[in-house]
Coordinates of all heavy atoms in Angstrom, one line a residue:
M451 N -15.7 8.1 -11.1 CA -15.2 8.9 -10.0 C -13.6 8.8 -10.1 O -13.0 7.8 -10.1 CB -15.6 8.3 -8.7 CG -17.1 8.1 -8.6 SD -17.7 7.3 -7.1 CE -17.9 8.8 -6.1
G501 N -18.9 16.7 -22.4 CA -20.3 17.1 -22.1 C -21.0 16.3 -21.0 O -22.2 16.2 -21.0
A601 N 11.3 -2.3 -15.7 CA 12.6 -2.0 -16.4 C 13.1 -0.7 -15.9 O 13.3 -0.5 -14.7 CB 12.3 -2.0 -17.9
A649 N 9.7 15.3 1.4 CA 11.0 15.1 2.0 C 11.8 13.9 1.5 O 13.0 13.8 1.6 CB 10.8 15.1 3.5
A689 N 19.4 9.5 -14.4 CA 20.7 9.1 -13.9 C 20.9 7.7 -14.2 O 20.0 6.9 -14.5 CB 20.8 9.5 -12.5
T700 N 30.5 13.2 -3.3 CA 31.6 13.8 -4.0 C 31.5 13.6 -5.5 O 31.3 12.5 -6.0 CB 33.0 13.2 -3.5 OG1 33.1 13.4 -2.1 CG2 34.2 13.9 -4.2
T746 N 25.1 17.9 -1.3 CA 24.4 17.6 -0.1 C 22.9 17.4 -0.3 O 22.4 17.7 -1.4 CB 24.6 18.6 1.0 OG1 24.0 19.9 0.5 CG2 26.0 18.8 1.4

Side-chain angles (χ1 to χ4, degrees):
M451 312 178 87
T700 302
T746 60

